Amino acid sequence: MRVVGFTEFGGPEVLGVHEVPERHPGPGELRIRVRAAAVNPTDTAGRAGWFPDRYRDVEPPYVPGMDAAGVIDEIGEGTDTDLRVGDDVMAIVIPSGAHGAYSESIVLPAASVTRTPAGTGHDAASTLPMNGLTARLALDRLALPPGGLLAVTGAAGTLGGYVVQLAKADGLRVIADAKDSDRDLVASLGADEIVERGDDVATRIREIAPGGVDGVVDAAVLNDAVEAAVRDGGGIATVRGFTAEAERGIRYHAVLIRDYWLEQAKLDRLRQQVEEGALTLRVADTYPIEKGAEAHRRLEAGGTRGRLVIRF
């Protein structure tokens, strides 16, 4: 089967199409004939060599990708699932070596897979699992009560956008950041207040919430630059593993998607929320597998709103 991967770290040009052996599912597993795989910043970072330990003891090609959507074509013997061969599904993938979502087919635990939202194609469905679950996990770690005040950085991005929408569905009040060209987009996601993005966003948040917000989801990876926006005893959810010894009783929560990659019920709830209109799926553009490098190059150039998707 064909995969999009790399054999050495480097720029987008190291990505290419490779042949790897076909795999079959065992007990508790499903195989998906992949139709679409979303391209995430984690994918480009891995290709550039940010996570060398992930590839230390495995043979190339190394295949990125944490989101897949397609059709179930095989179910492992004895697997406990209500999914069937032929079902349209989406899944979260934890890449390792040649096991990544940029593949014509992929074998996954059944607990990482659920049906695609009704009326949604594979391209759009592939944008939801990893970022949607990360957003859900960040909010769960903060555990703000309904009516709580949340700030979201990077709100125009895929992760930040899901955080805004899920927070509103949870009954939270949301202050979000955006540049001028993204204000309408972020408002459409449901943000109650919008401030200008940037390294000093904490100051602008405090202008709206003088007592500080109850929590921050830092999708823009500003790290401790957002700490000043938080009230005493509040929380900050970070998405790149950042943590710090904070003052004023503030607590950092490093959000690691491995904590939720087998949470099928939560993934399926995201599906339901798309069907209910609470979550919006955004595809920026699609690429054939031969142009995976172009997709990475465009993502790294910045400014993409919605996910780029590789089609198989």
Side-chain angles (χ1 to χ4, degrees):
M1 68 174 184
R2 295 180 300 170
V3 300
V4 177
F6 56 95
T7 59
E8 60 183 357
F9 300 126
E13 68 280 356
V14 302
L15 276 181
V17 179
H18 302 265
E19 292 278 348
V20 302
E22 185 179 28
R23 308 179 189 94
H24 297 278
E29 296 178 329
L30 309 171
R31 190 174 73 174
I32 300 171
R33 173 63 176 90
V34 177
R35 301 298 187 191
V39 178
N40 289 287
T42 300
D43 306 344
T44 61
R47 185 218 69 231
W50 287 25
F51 318 117
D53 289 346
R54 182 180 296 172
Y55 308 99
R56 193 176 305 281
D57 299 318
V58 291
E59 293 294 320
Y62 310 125
V63 180
M66 300 187 72
D67 295 290
V71 180
I72 294 176
D73 69 356
E74 197 171 326
I75 298 176
E77 184 176 355
T79 298
D80 182 14
T81 180
D82 63 350
L83 298 171
R84 298 291 179 263
V85 170
D87 283 350
D88 290 312
V89 293
M90 59 184 178
I92 181 169
V93 182
I94 302 298
S96 176
H99 172 81
Y102 297 5
S103 306
E104 282 188 321
S105 72
I106 191 164
V107 173
L108 296 168
S112 296
V113 184
T114 196
R115 291 178 177 84
T116 58
T120 299
H122 294 130
D123 293 347
S126 75
T127 70
L128 180 61
M130 191 274 284
N131 287 282
L133 284 172
T134 301
R136 182 69 266 162
L137 176 56
L139 291 169
D140 290 351
R141 290 289 184 263
L142 290 174
L144 304 186
L149 183 58
L150 176 76
V152 181
T153 68
T158 302
L159 172 59
Y162 287 149
V163 173
V164 171
Q165 291 188 303
L166 288 174
K168 294 306 298 178
D170 288 351
L172 303 180
R173 295 173 295 143
V174 176
I175 301 173
D177 71 349
K179 61 183 181 180
D180 285 345
S181 60
D182 288 327
R183 290 183 72 91
D184 288 346
L185 167 62
V186 173
S188 74
L189 298 173
D192 298 286
E193 301 280 356
I194 300 173
V195 299
E196 182 69 20
R197 63 180 293 186
D199 291 342
D200 57 349
V201 69
T203 300
R204 289 187 285 277
I205 292 171
R206 280 280 185 167
E207 291 172 354
I208 293 175
V213 296
D214 299 309
V216 174
V217 177
D218 181 27
V221 197
L222 299 176
N223 298 328
D224 56 359
V226 301
E227 193 173 305
V230 183
R231 65 165 173 81
D232 294 359
I236 302 170
T238 66
V239 295
R240 292 280 177 88
F242 178 83
T243 188
E245 290 293 331
E247 299 180 352
R248 302 187 288 116
I250 294 171
R251 183 179 178 187
Y252 281 89
H253 305 268
V255 174
L256 302 174
I257 193 56
R258 285 181 178 272
D259 292 342
Y260 268 14
W261 79 291
L262 297 175
E263 293 284 351
Q264 188 194 42
K266 294 184 184 296
L267 181 59
D268 197 58
R269 177 58 186 147
L270 295 175
R271 172 191 64 79
Q272 295 170 14
Q273 289 181 291
V274 173
E275 294 176 349
E276 294 164 359
L279 285 177
T280 304
L281 307 181
R282 293 180 284 153
V283 175
D285 208 346
T286 61
Y287 294 82
I289 63 172
E290 296 82 7
K291 294 189 176 181
E294 187 176 329
H296 272 223
R297 192 171 291 112
R298 180 170 170 187
L299 181 62
E300 289 183 318
T304 302
R305 294 296 175 254
R307 276 286 167 254
L308 304 173
V309 174
I310 297 175
R311 283 179 167 173
F312 288 85

